[in-house]
Every structure is written in structure tokens, then in C-alpha cells.
Amino acid sequence: MFLFSVCLIFPSLFVFVTGGKLPEPEVKIEVLHKPFMCYRKSKYGDMLLVHHEGYLESNGTLFFSSRKHGDTNPVWFTLGIREVIKGWDKGLKDMCAGERRKLTVPSSLAYGKEGKGKIPPGSILIFDIELMEIRNGPRSHDSFREMDLNDDWKLCREEVREYLKKEFEKHGYSPNDTNHEVMVDDIFKNEDEDEDGFISAREFTYQHDEL
């Protein structure tokens, strides 16, 4: 499915407090297939297109497959901004297009004590993930220059709105979706730090160390 989230196209900036916390458990990564040629590896801020299957480690139950459930399309998301579970952000770095990985994700890097849907609380999860495509994410300078239509090194609401329309149309969705204005409002609420009505290059490209 295509993620109808502002985070997919223009992720919000998150602030994390890490002082005094115990080290997080690690994701176990197993490479199932790696292409002979690798022209680019995934990094934080990239947009990734993946097919995936998720299983409960406890009994092997399949709780979701992008190839079998929903519209059976691969999923786009931006790596490193907690748009997906933390286990994915940690486990899908330095991955090549065409590569398949098996991730064993501890509960604390997945859905924790609460669980979600078919996933019981405290579950360790196993994912089989195939990376189909890597694109420059919204945090890249190239993306900023693409959005900055008048080359003034800041983004106004209209420039962000036009970018959203173009991206949605590229993926086969209506460029005039009524959700766009809501998305623009949310983007500026989270990204326009000095509340001057524009998103500067600094505000756009800044990322926290924890990401």
C-alpha cells in the first residue's frame, strides 16, 4: 500500500531524549540475498520501496504480507525518522536495491508492551524484507532544490503543496487530493521552527544525531 502520511513525502522532525537510558537491544540481521552489483546503499533520509512479510517469532504466524494483503503493492517509507518501527530503521541501513534481509526485532524495537492488531504485547517479530528501490528522501539537498521553485533557499506553502501534488500523481493518486492542505498544515507545524511562514534550508535538512 502507499502510505498516506506526510511522513512518507515530507517527514516531520522528531526530538528524542536519550540521556540516562540503557542501551537498546540490537536487531539481528541476516542477509538472504544480495545482488552482484550494488550502486547505492540505503542511508537515513532515503525513501525505500519494500515488499515485506512479518511473522511472530513465538509460533511462526504470518501477521502481514505486502504481497498477499491489502492492495499487494510494495510500501514506500523514509528511513531513519521513525515512520516505521525502530527495528526497521536500525535493520535496513546500508542495504542495496534487490537485497533481501531477515530481521529479528525485539519487542522494544517493535510494538512493545502494548502490541498492535494481530501482534500480541511483548512479541519478538521476524521480517523478510526485499528492498525494491532507493530514492533521495525529503531531507536531501537535491530534494530541497527540486521543491524550491524560485531558488530563494526557503519553502513557502505553495511550493510544498505543489511537491505533494506531484509526488501523489507520480504514484497514481489524485494530484488534487483534499488531504494535501491538511498535510501542508502539519508540515509547517512541525518543520517551521521559527514560525516565519517558510521552511528554510537549515530547517529542512537538520537531523538529530539519534536519527
Side-chain angles (χ1 to χ4, degrees), residues 25-32 53 55-58 85-88 90-92 101-110 123-129:
E26 292 300 314
V27 176
K28 180 181 177 183
I29 301 172
E30 180 181 347
V31 177
L32 303 178
E53 294 181 340
Y55 302 86
L56 300 180
E57 191 267 349
S58 59
I85 61 172
K86 292 172 69 177
W88 278 30
K90 287 177 171 286
L92 299 182
R101 288 184 180 180
K102 176 183 175 182
L103 304 183
T104 302
V105 182
S107 172
S108 60
L109 299 181
S123 295
I124 298 172
L125 305 180
I126 295 176
F127 292 95
D128 184 333
I129 301 175

PDB file of all heavy atoms in Angstrom, residues 25-32 53 55-58 85-88 90-92 101-110 123-129:
ATOM      1  N   PRO A  25      18.369  -2.917  22.791  1.00  0.00           N
ATOM      2  CA  PRO A  25      18.764  -4.202  22.217  1.00  0.00           C
ATOM      3  C   PRO A  25      18.968  -4.060  20.715  1.00  0.00           C
ATOM      4  O   PRO A  25      18.467  -3.128  20.090  1.00  0.00           O
ATOM      5  CB  PRO A  25      17.571  -5.110  22.544  1.00  0.00           C
ATOM      6  CG  PRO A  25      16.421  -4.176  22.735  1.00  0.00           C
ATOM      7  CD  PRO A  25      17.002  -2.927  23.323  1.00  0.00           C
ATOM      8  N   GLU A  26      19.702  -4.980  20.147  1.00  0.00           N
ATOM      9  CA  GLU A  26      20.024  -4.903  18.733  1.00  0.00           C
ATOM     10  C   GLU A  26      19.059  -5.726  17.893  1.00  0.00           C
ATOM     11  O   GLU A  26      18.420  -6.659  18.374  1.00  0.00           O
ATOM     12  CB  GLU A  26      21.455  -5.391  18.495  1.00  0.00           C
ATOM     13  CG  GLU A  26      22.519  -4.485  19.073  1.00  0.00           C
ATOM     14  CD  GLU A  26      22.473  -3.073  18.504  1.00  0.00           C
ATOM     15  OE1 GLU A  26      22.363  -2.944  17.264  1.00  0.00           O
ATOM     16  OE2 GLU A  26      22.531  -2.113  19.285  1.00  0.00           O
ATOM     17  N   VAL A  27      18.973  -5.361  16.639  1.00  0.00           N
ATOM     18  CA  VAL A  27      18.226  -6.136  15.653  1.00  0.00           C
ATOM     19  C   VAL A  27      19.173  -7.178  15.054  1.00  0.00           C
ATOM     20  O   VAL A  27      20.293  -6.850  14.659  1.00  0.00           O
ATOM     21  CB  VAL A  27      17.688  -5.223  14.534  1.00  0.00           C
ATOM     22  CG1 VAL A  27      16.985  -6.041  13.460  1.00  0.00           C
ATOM     23  CG2 VAL A  27      16.750  -4.172  15.106  1.00  0.00           C
ATOM     24  N   LYS A  28      18.725  -8.410  14.993  1.00  0.00           N
ATOM     25  CA  LYS A  28      19.523  -9.449  14.349  1.00  0.00           C
ATOM     26  C   LYS A  28      19.265  -9.392  12.854  1.00  0.00           C
ATOM     27  O   LYS A  28      18.115  -9.459  12.402  1.00  0.00           O
ATOM     28  CB  LYS A  28      19.157 -10.826  14.896  1.00  0.00           C
ATOM     29  CG  LYS A  28      19.946 -11.960  14.258  1.00  0.00           C
ATOM     30  CD  LYS A  28      19.526 -13.315  14.807  1.00  0.00           C
ATOM     31  CE  LYS A  28      20.267 -14.442  14.112  1.00  0.00           C
ATOM     32  NZ  LYS A  28      19.824 -15.777  14.590  1.00  0.00           N
ATOM     33  N   ILE A  29      20.337  -9.234  12.067  1.00  0.00           N
ATOM     34  CA  ILE A  29      20.219  -9.080  10.622  1.00  0.00           C
ATOM     35  C   ILE A  29      20.845 -10.282   9.921  1.00  0.00           C
ATOM     36  O   ILE A  29      21.996 -10.639  10.180  1.00  0.00           O
ATOM     37  CB  ILE A  29      20.924  -7.799  10.142  1.00  0.00           C
ATOM     38  CG1 ILE A  29      20.311  -6.570  10.825  1.00  0.00           C
ATOM     39  CG2 ILE A  29      20.831  -7.671   8.621  1.00  0.00           C
ATOM     40  CD1 ILE A  29      21.085  -5.289  10.559  1.00  0.00           C
ATOM     41  N   GLU A  30      20.062 -10.898   9.040  1.00  0.00           N
ATOM     42  CA  GLU A  30      20.566 -11.994   8.218  1.00  0.00           C
ATOM     43  C   GLU A  30      20.312 -11.650   6.752  1.00  0.00           C
ATOM     44  O   GLU A  30      19.171 -11.393   6.363  1.00  0.00           O
ATOM     45  CB  GLU A  30      19.856 -13.296   8.587  1.00  0.00           C
ATOM     46  CG  GLU A  30      20.322 -14.498   7.784  1.00  0.00           C
ATOM     47  CD  GLU A  30      19.571 -15.766   8.152  1.00  0.00           C
ATOM     48  OE1 GLU A  30      18.877 -15.757   9.188  1.00  0.00           O
ATOM     49  OE2 GLU A  30      19.676 -16.752   7.393  1.00  0.00           O
ATOM     50  N   VAL A  31      21.367 -11.612   5.937  1.00  0.00           N
ATOM     51  CA  VAL A  31      21.224 -11.299   4.521  1.00  0.00           C
ATOM     52  C   VAL A  31      20.823 -12.573   3.784  1.00  0.00           C
ATOM     53  O   VAL A  31      21.575 -13.551   3.760  1.00  0.00           O
ATOM     54  CB  VAL A  31      22.524 -10.720   3.935  1.00  0.00           C
ATOM     55  CG1 VAL A  31      22.367 -10.474   2.433  1.00  0.00           C
ATOM     56  CG2 VAL A  31      22.899  -9.424   4.648  1.00  0.00           C
ATOM     57  N   LEU A  32      19.640 -12.553   3.177  1.00  0.00           N
ATOM     58  CA  LEU A  32      19.134 -13.714   2.450  1.00  0.00           C
ATOM     59  C   LEU A  32      19.557 -13.694   0.989  1.00  0.00           C
ATOM     60  O   LEU A  32      19.743 -14.751   0.377  1.00  0.00           O
ATOM     61  CB  LEU A  32      17.606 -13.764   2.541  1.00  0.00           C
ATOM     62  CG  LEU A  32      17.017 -13.803   3.954  1.00  0.00           C
ATOM     63  CD1 LEU A  32      15.494 -13.796   3.878  1.00  0.00           C
ATOM     64  CD2 LEU A  32      17.515 -15.014   4.722  1.00  0.00           C
ATOM     65  N   GLU A  53       7.233  -9.392   4.637  1.00  0.00           N
ATOM     66  CA  GLU A  53       6.368 -10.309   5.348  1.00  0.00           C
ATOM     67  C   GLU A  53       6.762 -10.282   6.815  1.00  0.00           C
ATOM     68  O   GLU A  53       7.951 -10.232   7.150  1.00  0.00           O
ATOM     69  CB  GLU A  53       6.508 -11.737   4.803  1.00  0.00           C
ATOM     70  CG  GLU A  53       6.024 -11.886   3.382  1.00  0.00           C
ATOM     71  CD  GLU A  53       6.153 -13.308   2.866  1.00  0.00           C
ATOM     72  OE1 GLU A  53       6.953 -14.070   3.454  1.00  0.00           O
ATOM     73  OE2 GLU A  53       5.473 -13.653   1.896  1.00  0.00           O
ATOM     74  N   TYR A  55       6.289 -12.041  10.713  1.00  0.00           N
ATOM     75  CA  TYR A  55       5.910 -13.252  11.441  1.00  0.00           C
ATOM     76  C   TYR A  55       6.113 -13.054  12.944  1.00  0.00           C
ATOM     77  O   TYR A  55       6.997 -12.303  13.370  1.00  0.00           O
ATOM     78  CB  TYR A  55       6.780 -14.442  11.009  1.00  0.00           C
ATOM     79  CG  TYR A  55       6.723 -14.773   9.543  1.00  0.00           C
ATOM     80  CD1 TYR A  55       7.557 -14.112   8.639  1.00  0.00           C
ATOM     81  CD2 TYR A  55       5.856 -15.742   9.061  1.00  0.00           C
ATOM     82  CE1 TYR A  55       7.521 -14.413   7.286  1.00  0.00           C
ATOM     83  CE2 TYR A  55       5.813 -16.062   7.705  1.00  0.00           C
ATOM     84  CZ  TYR A  55       6.645 -15.389   6.817  1.00  0.00           C
ATOM     85  OH  TYR A  55       6.606 -15.685   5.482  1.00  0.00           O
ATOM     86  N   LEU A  56       5.314 -13.763  13.717  1.00  0.00           N
ATOM     87  CA  LEU A  56       5.546 -13.835  15.159  1.00  0.00           C
ATOM     88  C   LEU A  56       6.647 -14.846  15.411  1.00  0.00           C
ATOM     89  O   LEU A  56       6.567 -15.987  14.947  1.00  0.00           O
ATOM     90  CB  LEU A  56       4.276 -14.240  15.899  1.00  0.00           C
ATOM     91  CG  LEU A  56       3.052 -13.334  15.755  1.00  0.00           C
ATOM     92  CD1 LEU A  56       1.890 -13.914  16.555  1.00  0.00           C
ATOM     93  CD2 LEU A  56       3.373 -11.921  16.205  1.00  0.00           C
ATOM     94  N   GLU A  57       7.668 -14.437  16.139  1.00  0.00           N
ATOM     95  CA  GLU A  57       8.777 -15.335  16.435  1.00  0.00           C
ATOM     96  C   GLU A  57       8.332 -16.503  17.302  1.00  0.00           C
ATOM     97  O   GLU A  57       8.869 -17.618  17.203  1.00  0.00           O
ATOM     98  CB  GLU A  57       9.898 -14.546  17.126  1.00  0.00           C
ATOM     99  CG  GLU A  57      11.215 -15.283  17.269  1.00  0.00           C
ATOM    100  CD  GLU A  57      11.348 -16.003  18.593  1.00  0.00           C
ATOM    101  OE1 GLU A  57      10.509 -15.772  19.501  1.00  0.00           O
ATOM    102  OE2 GLU A  57      12.300 -16.796  18.717  1.00  0.00           O
ATOM    103  N   SER A  58       7.329 -16.300  18.124  1.00  0.00           N
ATOM    104  CA  SER A  58       6.894 -17.310  19.088  1.00  0.00           C
ATOM    105  C   SER A  58       6.315 -18.555  18.434  1.00  0.00           C
ATOM    106  O   SER A  58       6.527 -19.674  18.901  1.00  0.00           O
ATOM    107  CB  SER A  58       5.863 -16.714  20.048  1.00  0.00           C
ATOM    108  OG  SER A  58       4.736 -16.238  19.328  1.00  0.00           O
ATOM    109  N   ILE A  85       8.663   1.027  12.478  1.00  0.00           N
ATOM    110  CA  ILE A  85       9.188   0.628  13.788  1.00  0.00           C
ATOM    111  C   ILE A  85      10.706   0.833  13.837  1.00  0.00           C
ATOM    112  O   ILE A  85      11.392   0.812  12.812  1.00  0.00           O
ATOM    113  CB  ILE A  85       8.834  -0.835  14.118  1.00  0.00           C
ATOM    114  CG1 ILE A  85       9.438  -1.797  13.099  1.00  0.00           C
ATOM    115  CG2 ILE A  85       7.325  -1.020  14.229  1.00  0.00           C
ATOM    116  CD1 ILE A  85       9.296  -3.259  13.480  1.00  0.00           C
ATOM    117  N   LYS A  86      11.219   1.026  15.026  1.00  0.00           N
ATOM    118  CA  LYS A  86      12.645   1.305  15.199  1.00  0.00           C
ATOM    119  C   LYS A  86      13.516   0.160  14.690  1.00  0.00           C
ATOM    120  O   LYS A  86      14.637   0.369  14.231  1.00  0.00           O
ATOM    121  CB  LYS A  86      12.930   1.585  16.669  1.00  0.00           C
ATOM    122  CG  LYS A  86      12.324   2.882  17.168  1.00  0.00           C
ATOM    123  CD  LYS A  86      12.452   3.032  18.678  1.00  0.00           C
ATOM    124  CE  LYS A  86      13.883   3.233  19.102  1.00  0.00           C
ATOM    125  NZ  LYS A  86      13.997   3.460  20.563  1.00  0.00           N
ATOM    126  N   GLY A  87      12.993  -1.058  14.773  1.00  0.00           N
ATOM    127  CA  GLY A  87      13.753  -2.200  14.292  1.00  0.00           C
ATOM    128  C   GLY A  87      14.038  -2.126  12.805  1.00  0.00           C
ATOM    129  O   GLY A  87      15.092  -2.568  12.337  1.00  0.00           O
ATOM    130  N   TRP A  88      13.100  -1.554  12.042  1.00  0.00           N
ATOM    131  CA  TRP A  88      13.333  -1.358  10.609  1.00  0.00           C
ATOM    132  C   TRP A  88      14.362  -0.259  10.382  1.00  0.00           C
ATOM    133  O   TRP A  88      15.249  -0.395   9.538  1.00  0.00           O
ATOM    134  CB  TRP A  88      12.027  -1.005   9.903  1.00  0.00           C
ATOM    135  CG  TRP A  88      11.160  -2.171   9.565  1.00  0.00           C
ATOM    136  CD1 TRP A  88      11.062  -3.351  10.243  1.00  0.00           C
ATOM    137  CD2 TRP A  88      10.273  -2.267   8.453  1.00  0.00           C
ATOM    138  NE1 TRP A  88      10.150  -4.168   9.635  1.00  0.00           N
ATOM    139  CE2 TRP A  88       9.650  -3.541   8.546  1.00  0.00           C
ATOM    140  CE3 TRP A  88       9.923  -1.412   7.428  1.00  0.00           C
ATOM    141  CZ2 TRP A  88       8.705  -3.971   7.598  1.00  0.00           C
ATOM    142  CZ3 TRP A  88       8.980  -1.832   6.491  1.00  0.00           C
ATOM    143  CH2 TRP A  88       8.392  -3.093   6.577  1.00  0.00           C
ATOM    144  N   LYS A  90      16.758   0.581  12.201  1.00  0.00           N
ATOM    145  CA  LYS A  90      18.082   0.062  12.539  1.00  0.00           C
ATOM    146  C   LYS A  90      18.546  -1.023  11.570  1.00  0.00           C
ATOM    147  O   LYS A  90      19.735  -1.125  11.257  1.00  0.00           O
ATOM    148  CB  LYS A  90      18.080  -0.512  13.971  1.00  0.00           C
ATOM    149  CG  LYS A  90      18.037   0.540  15.077  1.00  0.00           C
ATOM    150  CD  LYS A  90      17.952  -0.133  16.434  1.00  0.00           C
ATOM    151  CE  LYS A  90      18.117   0.869  17.556  1.00  0.00           C
ATOM    152  NZ  LYS A  90      19.510   1.323  17.695  1.00  0.00           N
ATOM    153  N   GLY A  91      17.613  -1.842  11.108  1.00  0.00           N
ATOM    154  CA  GLY A  91      17.973  -3.035  10.356  1.00  0.00           C
ATOM    155  C   GLY A  91      18.053  -2.900   8.856  1.00  0.00           C
ATOM    156  O   GLY A  91      18.510  -3.825   8.177  1.00  0.00           O
ATOM    157  N   LEU A  92      17.639  -1.753   8.312  1.00  0.00           N
ATOM    158  CA  LEU A  92      17.616  -1.601   6.854  1.00  0.00           C
ATOM    159  C   LEU A  92      18.620  -0.576   6.340  1.00  0.00           C
ATOM    160  O   LEU A  92      18.545  -0.158   5.182  1.00  0.00           O
ATOM    161  CB  LEU A  92      16.201  -1.219   6.393  1.00  0.00           C
ATOM    162  CG  LEU A  92      15.117  -2.256   6.724  1.00  0.00           C
ATOM    163  CD1 LEU A  92      13.769  -1.802   6.189  1.00  0.00           C
ATOM    164  CD2 LEU A  92      15.472  -3.635   6.173  1.00  0.00           C
ATOM    165  N   ARG A 101      16.618  -9.189   3.310  1.00  0.00           N
ATOM    166  CA  ARG A 101      17.124  -9.400   4.657  1.00  0.00           C
ATOM    167  C   ARG A 101      16.053 -10.011   5.539  1.00  0.00           C
ATOM    168  O   ARG A 101      14.859  -9.751   5.370  1.00  0.00           O
ATOM    169  CB  ARG A 101      17.582  -8.084   5.302  1.00  0.00           C
ATOM    170  CG  ARG A 101      18.854  -7.515   4.731  1.00  0.00           C
ATOM    171  CD  ARG A 101      19.285  -6.272   5.472  1.00  0.00           C
ATOM    172  NE  ARG A 101      20.525  -5.714   4.926  1.00  0.00           N
ATOM    173  CZ  ARG A 101      21.127  -4.639   5.382  1.00  0.00           C
ATOM    174  NH1 ARG A 101      20.609  -3.980   6.425  1.00  0.00           N
ATOM    175  NH2 ARG A 101      22.247  -4.212   4.822  1.00  0.00           N
ATOM    176  N   LYS A 102      16.521 -10.799   6.486  1.00  0.00           N
ATOM    177  CA  LYS A 102      15.662 -11.290   7.557  1.00  0.00           C
ATOM    178  C   LYS A 102      16.040 -10.538   8.818  1.00  0.00           C
ATOM    179  O   LYS A 102      17.194 -10.552   9.228  1.00  0.00           O
ATOM    180  CB  LYS A 102      15.868 -12.794   7.755  1.00  0.00           C
ATOM    181  CG  LYS A 102      15.089 -13.379   8.929  1.00  0.00           C
ATOM    182  CD  LYS A 102      15.412 -14.850   9.096  1.00  0.00           C
ATOM    183  CE  LYS A 102      14.747 -15.455  10.330  1.00  0.00           C
ATOM    184  NZ  LYS A 102      15.096 -16.886  10.509  1.00  0.00           N
ATOM    185  N   LEU A 103      15.070  -9.841   9.392  1.00  0.00           N
ATOM    186  CA  LEU A 103      15.292  -9.091  10.620  1.00  0.00           C
ATOM    187  C   LEU A 103      14.565  -9.771  11.773  1.00  0.00           C
ATOM    188  O   LEU A 103      13.370 -10.083  11.656  1.00  0.00           O
ATOM    189  CB  LEU A 103      14.767  -7.653  10.492  1.00  0.00           C
ATOM    190  CG  LEU A 103      15.288  -6.778   9.354  1.00  0.00           C
ATOM    191  CD1 LEU A 103      14.698  -5.381   9.473  1.00  0.00           C
ATOM    192  CD2 LEU A 103      16.801  -6.736   9.321  1.00  0.00           C
ATOM    193  N   THR A 104      15.279 -10.006  12.858  1.00  0.00           N
ATOM    194  CA  THR A 104      14.646 -10.457  14.097  1.00  0.00           C
ATOM    195  C   THR A 104      14.642  -9.264  15.041  1.00  0.00           C
ATOM    196  O   THR A 104      15.691  -8.787  15.467  1.00  0.00           O
ATOM    197  CB  THR A 104      15.412 -11.637  14.721  1.00  0.00           C
ATOM    198  OG1 THR A 104      15.466 -12.717  13.773  1.00  0.00           O
ATOM    199  CG2 THR A 104      14.708 -12.113  15.981  1.00  0.00           C
ATOM    200  N   VAL A 105      13.442  -8.767  15.326  1.00  0.00           N
ATOM    201  CA  VAL A 105      13.286  -7.491  16.020  1.00  0.00           C
ATOM    202  C   VAL A 105      12.734  -7.717  17.426  1.00  0.00           C
ATOM    203  O   VAL A 105      11.633  -8.264  17.585  1.00  0.00           O
ATOM    204  CB  VAL A 105      12.333  -6.558  15.241  1.00  0.00           C
ATOM    205  CG1 VAL A 105      12.203  -5.210  15.945  1.00  0.00           C
ATOM    206  CG2 VAL A 105      12.838  -6.362  13.808  1.00  0.00           C
ATOM    207  N   PRO A 106      13.476  -7.307  18.451  1.00  0.00           N
ATOM    208  CA  PRO A 106      12.960  -7.444  19.825  1.00  0.00           C
ATOM    209  C   PRO A 106      11.740  -6.561  20.039  1.00  0.00           C
ATOM    210  O   PRO A 106      11.536  -5.562  19.333  1.00  0.00           O
ATOM    211  CB  PRO A 106      14.142  -6.996  20.683  1.00  0.00           C
ATOM    212  CG  PRO A 106      14.973  -6.141  19.791  1.00  0.00           C
ATOM    213  CD  PRO A 106      14.814  -6.695  18.412  1.00  0.00           C
ATOM    214  N   SER A 107      10.961  -6.932  21.008  1.00  0.00           N
ATOM    215  CA  SER A 107       9.703  -6.226  21.272  1.00  0.00           C
ATOM    216  C   SER A 107       9.900  -4.724  21.466  1.00  0.00           C
ATOM    217  O   SER A 107       9.105  -3.914  20.986  1.00  0.00           O
ATOM    218  CB  SER A 107       9.036  -6.823  22.503  1.00  0.00           C
ATOM    219  OG  SER A 107       7.928  -6.063  22.912  1.00  0.00           O
ATOM    220  N   SER A 108      10.969  -4.351  22.170  1.00  0.00           N
ATOM    221  CA  SER A 108      11.187  -2.936  22.470  1.00  0.00           C
ATOM    222  C   SER A 108      11.477  -2.097  21.228  1.00  0.00           C
ATOM    223  O   SER A 108      11.365  -0.877  21.262  1.00  0.00           O
ATOM    224  CB  SER A 108      12.343  -2.781  23.460  1.00  0.00           C
ATOM    225  OG  SER A 108      13.536  -3.313  22.916  1.00  0.00           O
ATOM    226  N   LEU A 109      11.859  -2.738  20.128  1.00  0.00           N
ATOM    227  CA  LEU A 109      12.098  -2.032  18.868  1.00  0.00           C
ATOM    228  C   LEU A 109      10.971  -2.271  17.869  1.00  0.00           C
ATOM    229  O   LEU A 109      11.089  -1.925  16.688  1.00  0.00           O
ATOM    230  CB  LEU A 109      13.438  -2.472  18.260  1.00  0.00           C
ATOM    231  CG  LEU A 109      14.677  -2.190  19.099  1.00  0.00           C
ATOM    232  CD1 LEU A 109      15.932  -2.655  18.371  1.00  0.00           C
ATOM    233  CD2 LEU A 109      14.785  -0.709  19.453  1.00  0.00           C
ATOM    234  N   ALA A 110       9.877  -2.878  18.376  1.00  0.00           N
ATOM    235  CA  ALA A 110       8.710  -3.132  17.526  1.00  0.00           C
ATOM    236  C   ALA A 110       7.487  -2.468  18.163  1.00  0.00           C
ATOM    237  O   ALA A 110       7.401  -1.250  18.213  1.00  0.00           O
ATOM    238  CB  ALA A 110       8.526  -4.635  17.328  1.00  0.00           C
ATOM    239  N   SER A 123       5.817  -9.042  21.826  1.00  0.00           N
ATOM    240  CA  SER A 123       6.198 -10.005  20.792  1.00  0.00           C
ATOM    241  C   SER A 123       7.530  -9.663  20.122  1.00  0.00           C
ATOM    242  O   SER A 123       7.774  -8.509  19.748  1.00  0.00           O
ATOM    243  CB  SER A 123       5.128 -10.082  19.700  1.00  0.00           C
ATOM    244  OG  SER A 123       3.926 -10.591  20.203  1.00  0.00           O
ATOM    245  N   ILE A 124       8.362 -10.688  19.958  1.00  0.00           N
ATOM    246  CA  ILE A 124       9.530 -10.597  19.080  1.00  0.00           C
ATOM    247  C   ILE A 124       9.042 -10.883  17.671  1.00  0.00           C
ATOM    248  O   ILE A 124       8.275 -11.826  17.446  1.00  0.00           O
ATOM    249  CB  ILE A 124      10.612 -11.619  19.487  1.00  0.00           C
ATOM    250  CG1 ILE A 124      11.115 -11.325  20.902  1.00  0.00           C
ATOM    251  CG2 ILE A 124      11.773 -11.599  18.488  1.00  0.00           C
ATOM    252  CD1 ILE A 124      12.050 -12.394  21.448  1.00  0.00           C
ATOM    253  N   LEU A 125       9.454 -10.061  16.717  1.00  0.00           N
ATOM    254  CA  LEU A 125       8.956 -10.186  15.350  1.00  0.00           C
ATOM    255  C   LEU A 125      10.078 -10.552  14.383  1.00  0.00           C
ATOM    256  O   LEU A 125      11.230 -10.158  14.564  1.00  0.00           O
ATOM    257  CB  LEU A 125       8.307  -8.876  14.898  1.00  0.00           C
ATOM    258  CG  LEU A 125       7.185  -8.332  15.782  1.00  0.00           C
ATOM    259  CD1 LEU A 125       6.649  -7.033  15.207  1.00  0.00           C
ATOM    260  CD2 LEU A 125       6.076  -9.356  15.950  1.00  0.00           C
ATOM    261  N   ILE A 126       9.712 -11.290  13.348  1.00  0.00           N
ATOM    262  CA  ILE A 126      10.645 -11.639  12.273  1.00  0.00           C
ATOM    263  C   ILE A 126      10.094 -11.083  10.971  1.00  0.00           C
ATOM    264  O   ILE A 126       8.923 -11.299  10.637  1.00  0.00           O
ATOM    265  CB  ILE A 126      10.832 -13.161  12.175  1.00  0.00           C
ATOM    266  CG1 ILE A 126      11.495 -13.698  13.448  1.00  0.00           C
ATOM    267  CG2 ILE A 126      11.678 -13.514  10.946  1.00  0.00           C
ATOM    268  CD1 ILE A 126      11.631 -15.202  13.482  1.00  0.00           C
ATOM    269  N   PHE A 127      10.935 -10.359  10.244  1.00  0.00           N
ATOM    270  CA  PHE A 127      10.530  -9.781   8.965  1.00  0.00           C
ATOM    271  C   PHE A 127      11.430 -10.295   7.847  1.00  0.00           C
ATOM    272  O   PHE A 127      12.654 -10.366   7.994  1.00  0.00           O
ATOM    273  CB  PHE A 127      10.625  -8.254   9.003  1.00  0.00           C
ATOM    274  CG  PHE A 127       9.637  -7.601   9.917  1.00  0.00           C
ATOM    275  CD1 PHE A 127      10.000  -7.271  11.213  1.00  0.00           C
ATOM    276  CD2 PHE A 127       8.349  -7.332   9.498  1.00  0.00           C
ATOM    277  CE1 PHE A 127       9.102  -6.660  12.073  1.00  0.00           C
ATOM    278  CE2 PHE A 127       7.434  -6.723  10.346  1.00  0.00           C
ATOM    279  CZ  PHE A 127       7.814  -6.383  11.638  1.00  0.00           C
ATOM    280  N   ASP A 128      10.810 -10.639   6.730  1.00  0.00           N
ATOM    281  CA  ASP A 128      11.514 -10.940   5.489  1.00  0.00           C
ATOM    282  C   ASP A 128      11.268  -9.739   4.580  1.00  0.00           C
ATOM    283  O   ASP A 128      10.137  -9.498   4.152  1.00  0.00           O
ATOM    284  CB  ASP A 128      10.953 -12.228   4.877  1.00  0.00           C
ATOM    285  CG  ASP A 128      11.697 -12.663   3.615  1.00  0.00           C
ATOM    286  OD1 ASP A 128      12.257 -11.789   2.922  1.00  0.00           O
ATOM    287  OD2 ASP A 128      11.711 -13.867   3.315  1.00  0.00           O
ATOM    288  N   ILE A 129      12.323  -8.973   4.314  1.00  0.00           N
ATOM    289  CA  ILE A 129      12.166  -7.690   3.626  1.00  0.00           C
ATOM    290  C   ILE A 129      13.023  -7.655   2.365  1.00  0.00           C
ATOM    291  O   ILE A 129      14.225  -7.936   2.411  1.00  0.00           O
ATOM    292  CB  ILE A 129      12.562  -6.517   4.543  1.00  0.00           C
ATOM    293  CG1 ILE A 129      11.694  -6.523   5.804  1.00  0.00           C
ATOM    294  CG2 ILE A 129      12.426  -5.182   3.808  1.00  0.00           C
ATOM    295  CD1 ILE A 129      12.085  -5.488   6.837  1.00  0.00           C
TER     296      ILE A 129
END
